[in-house]
Amino acid sequence: MEKEKMKVGVLISGRGTNLQALIDACADADFPAKIVLVISNVADAYGLKRAKDADIPTVFIDHKAYPTREHFDAVIDSALRESGVEFVCLAGFMRILSEEFVEHWRNRLINIHPSLLPAFKGLDTHQRAIDAGVTITGCTVHFVRPAMDDGPIIVQAAVPVLPGDDAERLAARILESEHVIYPLALRLVAEGRASVEGEKTILKDGAPTAESLINPSPG
Ligand code: GRF
Protein backbone atom coordinates (compact mmCIF):
# COMPACT_ATOMS: atom_id res chain seq x y z
CA MET A 1 0.00 0.00 0.00
CA GLU A 2 1.18 3.54 -0.74
CA LYS A 3 2.55 5.33 2.32
CA GLU A 4 0.32 8.17 3.51
CA LYS A 5 1.72 11.50 2.26
CA MET A 6 1.69 14.67 4.34
CA LYS A 7 -1.03 17.02 3.07
CA VAL A 8 0.40 20.45 2.32
CA GLY A 9 -1.19 23.84 1.69
CA VAL A 10 0.86 26.51 -0.08
CA LEU A 11 0.24 30.26 0.32
CA ILE A 12 1.39 32.51 -2.51
CA SER A 13 1.01 36.06 -3.80
CA GLY A 14 2.90 36.01 -7.07
CA ARG A 15 4.67 34.17 -9.85
CA GLY A 16 5.11 30.97 -7.81
CA THR A 17 8.44 29.60 -8.95
CA ASN A 18 9.00 28.10 -5.50
CA LEU A 19 5.50 26.63 -5.65
CA GLN A 20 6.52 25.10 -8.98
CA ALA A 21 9.62 23.57 -7.38
CA LEU A 22 7.40 22.01 -4.71
CA ILE A 23 4.90 20.79 -7.33
CA ASP A 24 7.73 19.20 -9.31
CA ALA A 25 9.15 17.53 -6.19
CA CYS A 26 5.72 16.19 -5.23
CA ALA A 27 5.37 14.63 -8.69
CA ASP A 28 8.00 12.09 -7.60
CA ALA A 29 6.20 9.01 -6.25
CA ASP A 30 8.73 8.77 -3.41
CA PHE A 31 8.24 12.34 -2.20
CA PRO A 32 6.62 12.22 1.26
CA ALA A 33 4.24 15.18 0.79
CA LYS A 34 1.46 16.22 -1.54
CA ILE A 35 0.01 19.66 -2.19
CA VAL A 36 -3.76 19.61 -1.63
CA LEU A 37 -4.49 23.35 -1.78
CA VAL A 38 -2.91 26.57 -3.06
CA ILE A 39 -4.20 29.86 -1.67
CA SER A 40 -3.42 33.26 -3.14
CA ASN A 41 -4.37 36.70 -1.87
CA VAL A 42 -3.78 38.06 -5.39
CA ALA A 43 -6.42 37.15 -7.98
CA ASP A 44 -4.13 37.00 -11.00
CA ALA A 45 -1.04 35.52 -9.34
CA TYR A 46 0.70 33.38 -11.95
CA GLY A 47 1.22 30.70 -9.30
CA LEU A 48 -2.52 29.98 -9.41
CA LYS A 49 -2.11 28.92 -13.05
CA ARG A 50 0.79 26.67 -12.11
CA ALA A 51 -1.40 24.97 -9.49
CA LYS A 52 -4.33 24.57 -11.88
CA ASP A 53 -2.02 23.09 -14.53
CA ALA A 54 -0.98 20.51 -11.93
CA ASP A 55 -4.65 19.78 -11.03
CA ILE A 56 -4.24 21.23 -7.54
CA PRO A 57 -7.30 22.96 -6.05
CA THR A 58 -6.87 26.73 -5.66
CA VAL A 59 -8.61 29.54 -3.83
CA PHE A 60 -8.26 33.28 -4.07
CA ILE A 61 -8.84 35.00 -0.74
CA ASP A 62 -8.78 38.78 -1.00
CA HIS A 63 -7.23 40.37 2.08
CA LYS A 64 -8.91 43.65 1.14
CA ALA A 65 -12.32 42.05 1.71
CA TYR A 66 -11.74 41.67 5.47
CA PRO A 67 -11.64 44.39 8.13
CA THR A 68 -8.63 43.03 10.01
CA ARG A 69 -5.64 40.74 9.58
CA GLU A 70 -7.22 38.34 12.08
CA HIS A 71 -10.41 38.04 9.97
CA PHE A 72 -8.41 37.37 6.82
CA ASP A 73 -6.23 34.80 8.58
CA ALA A 74 -9.29 33.04 10.00
CA VAL A 75 -10.65 32.58 6.48
CA ILE A 76 -7.32 31.17 5.32
CA ASP A 77 -7.26 28.88 8.34
CA SER A 78 -10.77 27.56 7.55
CA ALA A 79 -9.86 26.90 3.91
CA LEU A 80 -6.76 24.97 4.99
CA ARG A 81 -8.67 22.87 7.51
CA GLU A 82 -11.50 22.13 5.09
CA SER A 83 -8.94 20.73 2.66
CA GLY A 84 -7.40 18.55 5.35
CA VAL A 85 -4.10 20.45 5.25
CA GLU A 86 -1.60 19.24 7.85
CA PHE A 87 1.35 21.47 6.97
CA VAL A 88 1.67 24.93 5.40
CA CYS A 89 4.39 26.35 3.12
CA LEU A 90 4.66 30.09 2.51
CA ALA A 91 6.07 30.64 -0.96
CA GLY A 92 6.27 34.33 -1.76
CA PHE A 93 3.19 35.11 0.35
CA MET A 94 3.34 38.86 0.83
CA ARG A 95 1.14 39.25 3.91
CA ILE A 96 2.25 39.21 7.53
CA LEU A 97 0.32 36.52 9.39
CA SER A 98 -1.27 37.19 12.78
CA GLU A 99 0.26 35.76 15.92
CA GLU A 100 -2.84 33.63 16.43
CA PHE A 101 -2.48 31.99 13.01
CA VAL A 102 1.27 31.44 13.43
CA GLU A 103 0.84 29.92 16.90
CA HIS A 104 -1.97 27.67 15.70
CA TRP A 105 0.32 26.29 12.96
CA ARG A 106 3.44 26.34 15.14
CA ASN A 107 6.09 23.97 13.73
CA ARG A 108 3.69 23.10 10.91
CA LEU A 109 4.38 26.32 8.99
CA ILE A 110 7.56 27.09 7.02
CA ASN A 111 8.80 29.95 4.86
CA ILE A 112 11.56 30.63 2.36
CA HIS A 113 13.54 33.86 2.47
CA PRO A 114 16.23 35.00 0.01
CA SER A 115 19.05 35.67 2.47
CA LEU A 116 21.16 33.83 4.99
CA LEU A 117 18.96 34.56 7.99
CA PRO A 118 19.17 36.20 10.45
CA ALA A 119 20.87 38.64 8.04
CA PHE A 120 18.72 40.83 5.79
CA LYS A 121 15.24 40.12 7.09
CA GLY A 122 12.35 41.88 5.38
CA LEU A 123 12.01 43.35 1.91
CA ASP A 124 14.56 44.56 -0.63
CA THR A 125 16.91 41.84 0.59
CA HIS A 126 19.09 41.53 -2.51
CA GLN A 127 19.84 45.25 -2.86
CA ARG A 128 20.62 45.51 0.84
CA ALA A 129 23.07 42.58 0.57
CA ILE A 130 24.79 44.29 -2.38
CA ASP A 131 24.86 47.64 -0.55
CA ALA A 132 26.37 45.98 2.53
CA GLY A 133 29.20 44.60 0.38
CA VAL A 134 28.80 40.98 1.50
CA THR A 135 30.46 38.48 -0.83
CA ILE A 136 28.27 35.59 0.23
CA THR A 137 24.52 35.65 0.76
CA GLY A 138 21.95 32.94 0.07
CA CYS A 139 18.56 31.64 1.10
CA THR A 140 16.92 30.03 4.10
CA VAL A 141 13.94 27.78 4.80
CA HIS A 142 12.75 28.18 8.38
CA PHE A 143 9.86 27.43 10.69
CA VAL A 144 7.70 30.53 11.06
CA ARG A 145 7.39 32.55 14.25
CA PRO A 146 5.32 35.71 14.78
CA ALA A 147 8.28 38.04 14.17
CA MET A 148 9.04 38.56 10.47
CA ASP A 149 11.54 36.13 8.89
CA ASP A 150 12.23 34.64 12.30
CA GLY A 151 12.21 31.04 13.50
CA PRO A 152 14.25 27.81 13.62
CA ILE A 153 16.34 27.36 10.47
CA ILE A 154 15.89 24.09 8.56
CA VAL A 155 18.10 24.45 5.44
CA GLN A 156 20.32 27.21 4.05
CA ALA A 157 22.19 27.64 0.79
CA ALA A 158 25.17 29.99 0.45
CA VAL A 159 25.31 31.91 -2.83
CA PRO A 160 28.14 34.22 -3.94
CA VAL A 161 27.63 37.88 -4.76
CA LEU A 162 29.60 38.45 -7.98
CA PRO A 163 31.20 41.63 -9.32
CA GLY A 164 28.72 43.68 -11.28
CA ASP A 165 25.68 42.08 -9.67
CA ASP A 166 22.53 44.13 -9.48
CA ALA A 167 19.56 43.04 -7.38
CA GLU A 168 17.94 41.29 -10.33
CA ARG A 169 20.99 39.23 -11.27
CA LEU A 170 21.66 38.28 -7.66
CA ALA A 171 18.00 37.37 -7.10
CA ALA A 172 18.04 35.07 -10.13
CA ARG A 173 21.15 33.27 -8.82
CA ILE A 174 19.67 32.85 -5.33
CA LEU A 175 16.34 31.68 -6.77
CA GLU A 176 18.05 28.66 -8.34
CA SER A 177 19.14 27.58 -4.87
CA GLU A 178 15.71 28.34 -3.41
CA HIS A 179 14.25 25.79 -5.79
CA VAL A 180 16.65 23.18 -4.42
CA ILE A 181 16.34 23.89 -0.70
CA TYR A 182 12.56 24.33 -0.43
CA PRO A 183 11.74 20.78 -1.59
CA LEU A 184 14.65 19.49 0.50
CA ALA A 185 13.35 21.20 3.64
CA LEU A 186 9.81 19.95 3.02
CA ARG A 187 11.12 16.42 2.56
CA LEU A 188 13.12 16.58 5.83
CA VAL A 189 10.08 17.77 7.75
CA ALA A 190 7.63 15.36 6.11
CA GLU A 191 9.91 12.42 6.84
CA GLY A 192 10.14 13.48 10.48
CA ARG A 193 13.85 14.19 10.10
CA ALA A 194 13.64 17.86 11.11
CA SER A 195 12.10 18.76 14.43
CA VAL A 196 12.27 21.76 16.73
CA GLU A 197 13.90 21.58 20.15
CA GLY A 198 14.49 24.73 22.17
CA GLU A 199 13.93 26.95 19.12
CA LYS A 200 16.59 25.17 17.06
CA THR A 201 15.96 22.62 14.36
CA ILE A 202 17.42 19.21 15.10
CA LEU A 203 18.14 17.16 11.98
CA LYS A 204 18.04 13.39 12.16
CA ASP A 205 20.19 11.54 9.63
CA GLY A 206 21.02 14.84 7.96
CA ALA A 207 24.08 15.03 5.74
CA PRO A 208 25.60 18.43 6.49
CA THR A 209 28.09 19.63 3.91
CA ALA A 210 31.59 20.13 5.26
CA GLU A 211 32.71 22.35 2.40
CA SER A 212 33.25 26.10 2.78
CA LEU A 213 32.25 28.55 0.09
CA ILE A 214 35.06 31.14 -0.02
CA ASN A 215 34.46 34.26 -2.07
CA PRO A 216 36.68 35.43 -3.70
CA SER A 217 38.28 32.05 -4.12
CA PRO A 218 41.83 31.79 -2.74
CA GLY A 219 42.81 29.69 -5.77
C1 GRF B 1 11.27 34.24 -3.34
O1 GRF B 1 12.47 34.93 -3.55
C2 GRF B 1 11.11 33.87 -1.89
O2 GRF B 1 12.33 33.61 -1.25
C3 GRF B 1 10.49 35.11 -1.31
O3 GRF B 1 9.60 35.57 -2.30
C4 GRF B 1 10.05 35.12 -3.58
C5 GRF B 1 8.92 34.37 -4.19
O4 GRF B 1 9.20 33.98 -5.52
N1 GRF B 1 9.85 34.83 -0.04
P1 GRF B 1 8.27 32.95 -6.27
O5 GRF B 1 6.86 33.52 -6.25
O6 GRF B 1 8.35 31.65 -5.54
O7 GRF B 1 8.82 32.86 -7.65
Side-chain angles (χ1 to χ4, degrees):
M1 213 180 75
E2 192 188 294
K3 215 169 152 227
E4 192 86 9
K5 294 188 179 222
M6 187 172 78
K7 296 193 186 73
V8 173
V10 184
L11 271 53
I12 61 163
S13 300
R15 63 190 171 176
T17 65
N18 278 289
L19 166 66
Q20 188 67 56
L22 296 176
I23 291 173
D24 293 347
C26 290
D28 179 347
D30 292 334
F31 198 77
K34 101 183 222 188
I35 302 171
V36 296
L37 182 67
V38 172
I39 299 177
S40 171
N41 68 312
V42 175
D44 60 355
Y46 189 72
L48 286 173
K49 182 178 178 325
R50 296 177 189 273
K52 285 176 191 149
D53 287 349
D55 289 326
I56 297 167
T58 61
V59 263
F60 158 55
I61 302 176
D62 185 2
H63 57 278
K64 297 195 277 309
Y66 300 94
T68 65
R69 195 180 295 289
E70 285 71 20
H71 281 89
F72 171 62
D73 290 1
V75 177
I76 293 185
D77 189 62
S78 305
L80 292 168
R81 288 181 203 225
E82 277 162 27
S83 293
V85 167
E86 299 163 309
F87 197 88
V88 180
C89 293
L90 306 179
F93 183 64
M94 300 306 285
R95 304 294 303 169
I96 291 171
L97 291 160
S98 58
E99 184 159 354
E100 199 183 332
F101 182 96
V102 172
E103 289 303 342
H104 174 77
W105 289 94
R106 191 180 181 85
N107 298 341
R108 297 181 296 146
L109 173 63
I110 62 177
N111 179 46
I112 185 154
H113 182 75
S115 76
L116 285 176
L117 289 175
F120 306 118
K121 295 181 177 186
L123 296 173
D124 213 12
T125 329
H126 308 98
Q127 190 58 51
R128 286 191 289 129
I130 290 169
D131 293 346
V134 298
T135 61
I136 297 172
T137 179
C139 46
T140 303
V141 181
H142 64 98
F143 289 101
V144 174
R145 294 295 180 260
M148 195 179 20
D149 298 323
D150 188 42
I153 289 165
I154 307 168
V155 184
Q156 293 187 301
V159 177
V161 181
L162 298 181
D165 268 357
D166 57 13
E168 199 184 333
R169 203 170 88 163
L170 179 59
R173 188 175 311 117
I174 292 174
L175 199 59
E176 284 182 33
S177 293
E178 293 186 40
H179 298 161
V180 176
I181 68 167
Y182 214 172
L184 169 61
L186 184 57
R187 174 186 282 280
L188 290 171
V189 171
E191 289 178 345
R193 292 161 63 199
S195 54
V196 179
E197 277 175 40
E199 286 305 87
K200 271 198 192 151
T201 303
I202 307 296
L203 290 183
K204 235 192 279 166
D205 315 320
T209 176
E211 284 162 47
S212 304
L213 170 61
I214 302 175
N215 186 30
S217 159

